[in-house]
Amino acid sequence: MNKREKLDELINVNEENALELVAANKKVAFQNDEKGKHVAELIVANEENALALVAANKLIAAQNELIRKREVELIIANKELAFQAELIIANKELAFQYEEKAKRADELFIMNNELKQLLQLNADKDRFISILGHDLRSPFNVLLGLSELLIENIRKYDIGEIENQVNLINKTAQNTYILLEDLLMWVRAESGKIPFEPQKLKFTNICHDVIENLELNAKIKNITINHSAMEEINIFADIDMLKMVLRNLISNAIKFTNNGGQIDISAEQTDSTITISVLDNGIGIEPESLTKIFDISQFHTTTGTAEEKGTGLGLLLCKEFVEKHGGKIWVDSEFGKGSEFKFTLPISAEQPD
């Protein structure tokens, strides 16, 4: 083969190689172009992702800011709540202190009233004892005076005068003894030394016993005592106190009833109490004296229709004993026409407080 042929063959080979190289370059170029497009797409996608990420970060930042603001608001709200709680506690404490002070004020008010009552009661008792002292001195002066006259004139007086003087001394001594008995009874009642033993009693039997003991006094003045009560009435009371109350009320009725007068004793029963009445047609009680007879601070005595002397303590004891049973006592009277004393007592078997 000659050089020309070799050259042509080489040229052909080069052309083929060149064509293959061009084809390969085109292929590489195409691939590179595809890659470029893909890169571009990736760049676009990355840009979009970056923008989305920025937006997301901005949203998160905004949410975080809102959360921070909410946290601040909650902190402020919690502080306000804590302050309000402190105010509530403080108000409760102030309310408690006010309530305690109000209670203390009420206690002091009650104590002050009780103290006033005690002071008034002591003053009343002092006045009462002062009056009693006068009433005790008066009969003793009579006793001393009569006895001294009798001693000085024992040989001068005839038997009739001596008998008259002795009767006066005896009557004065009896009145003084009654006064001392009532006084001792009142002192024992005030000191709580009189036993209180209520029991179930038949009222009619008690009333008969008391009337029987006072029958002689009534006969002396020709006074009729009537008693009307249902036989089956039972009463829950201390027998000694009940007899003392009845005895005082009936004795007073005899004392302030004129000769030939009448006394009516009755008892009426309700569901839980019995009301006992002692009615007379005697001289009655003056209106200004009605408010005094059960008041220790208004203590006074009155002379009976036959100049009987009273101690003034009897009605005070009646009030004391009736109230001890949980009852009450009162009087209705018209001056010149008579009086009616009434008191209530329980009929149940339960002791009153």
Side-chain angles (χ1 to χ4, degrees):
M1 182 181 293
N2 58 30
K3 289 181 179 181
R4 183 65 184 174
E5 286 177 350
K6 289 182 179 181
L7 180 61
D8 289 337
E9 186 178 352
L10 183 61
I11 290 170
N12 288 332
V13 171
N14 285 338
E15 284 179 353
E16 289 176 359
N17 289 335
L19 290 173
E20 289 176 359
L21 182 60
V22 169
N25 286 335
K26 285 182 178 180
K27 185 178 180 180
V28 170
F30 177 77
Q31 290 176 347
N32 287 335
D33 187 49
E34 289 295 319
K35 288 181 179 180
K37 288 181 179 179
H38 184 64
V39 168
E41 290 174 355
L42 287 175
I43 290 171
V44 171
N46 287 335
E47 287 178 353
E48 290 176 351
N49 289 335
L51 290 174
L53 182 61
V54 169
N57 288 335
K58 287 182 179 180
L59 180 60
I60 291 172
Q63 291 176 345
N64 288 336
E65 181 65 18
L66 289 174
I67 291 171
R68 188 188 66 78
K69 288 182 179 180
R70 184 57 181 163
E71 287 177 349
V72 173
E73 291 174 353
L74 288 173
I75 291 171
I76 295 171
N78 287 332
K79 287 182 178 179
E80 290 178 351
L81 288 173
F83 178 70
Q84 290 176 359
E86 290 176 356
L87 285 178
I88 291 171
I89 294 171
N91 287 335
K92 286 183 178 179
E93 181 66 24
L94 288 174
F96 177 76
Q97 292 177 359
Y98 176 79
E99 185 177 354
E100 289 297 312
K101 288 180 179 179
K103 288 181 180 178
R104 183 58 179 164
D106 290 341
E107 291 173 356
L108 290 173
F109 181 76
I110 293 171
M111 290 172 62
N112 185 51
N113 285 339
E114 290 176 348
L115 180 60
K116 286 181 179 179
Q117 291 175 359
L118 287 173
L119 291 173
Q120 183 62 46
L121 183 60
N122 284 334
D124 292 342
K125 287 183 177 179
D126 288 344
R127 182 175 179 274
F128 177 66
I129 292 172
S130 175
I131 294 171
L132 278 178
H134 175 270
D135 286 353
L136 280 171
R137 283 194 298 270
S138 179
F140 275 106
N141 287 333
V142 173
L143 287 172
L144 290 171
L146 290 174
S147 60
E148 286 174 2
L149 279 175
L150 191 58
I151 291 171
E152 292 174 359
N153 300 287
I154 189 69
R155 298 186 184 280
K156 298 179 182 179
Y157 287 157
D158 58 27
I159 190 65
E161 184 65 25
I162 291 174
E163 185 179 1
N164 183 53
Q165 292 283 75
V166 171
N167 285 334
L168 287 173
I169 289 173
N170 180 260
K171 188 174 182 179
T172 303
Q174 287 181 359
N175 290 334
T176 306
Y177 178 76
I178 293 172
L179 174 60
L180 286 173
E181 282 289 301
D182 285 349
L183 177 59
L184 290 174
M185 177 71 77
W186 179 79
V187 170
R188 290 176 62 201
E190 287 295 302
S191 61
K193 293 183 179 179
I194 296 179
F196 179 60
E197 299 173 351
Q199 57 184 301
K200 189 176 181 180
L201 303 169
K202 187 175 288 294
F203 174 72
T204 302
N205 295 340
I206 301 298
C207 193
H208 281 156
D209 291 343
V210 174
I211 292 174
E212 185 177 350
N213 290 330
L214 295 172
E215 193 171 9
L216 180 60
N217 293 345
K219 283 184 177 180
I220 291 173
K221 298 178 72 173
N222 195 28
I223 294 172
T224 302
I225 300 179
N226 300 316
H227 169 231
S228 62
M230 293 182 294
E231 290 291 333
E232 64 271 20
I233 285 184
N234 292 315
I235 192 167
F236 190 72
D238 181 281
I239 187 169
D240 294 326
M241 291 186 180
L242 176 58
K243 285 185 175 181
M244 198 285 300
V245 172
L246 283 172
R247 185 167 56 250
N248 267 280
L249 295 181
I250 298 172
S251 294
N252 280 346
I254 294 171
K255 184 186 304 180
F256 297 108
T257 299
N258 291 306
N259 288 336
Q262 179 175 306
I263 297 171
D264 295 314
I265 303 169
S266 62
E268 294 182 2
Q269 181 177 331
T270 64
D271 292 338
S272 59
T273 62
I274 176 174
T275 300
I276 301 164
S277 167
V278 178
L279 171 68
D280 65 66
N281 60 352
I283 61 175
I285 303 171
E286 295 179 347
E288 60 269 21
S289 298
L290 279 174
T291 58
K292 301 177 182 179
I293 57 177
F294 294 116
D295 188 353
I296 189 174
S297 65
Q298 303 291 329
F299 174 75
H300 71 294
T301 60
T302 307
T303 303
T305 56
E307 299 300 317
E308 301 101 325
K309 298 292 184 181
T311 66
L313 279 170
L315 290 177
L316 295 179
L317 285 170
C318 288
K319 182 175 184 292
E320 182 89 14
F321 290 163
V322 168
E323 291 179 351
K324 183 75 173 177
H325 287 79
K328 61 179 181 176
I329 186 169
W330 69 97
V331 59
D332 296 319
S333 182
E334 185 175 353
F335 187 62
K337 293 187 177 181
S339 302
E340 182 177 17
F341 283 83
K342 292 183 178 181
F343 66 95
T344 61
L345 291 176
I347 59 174
S348 68
E350 297 178 359
Q351 181 173 338
D353 294 335

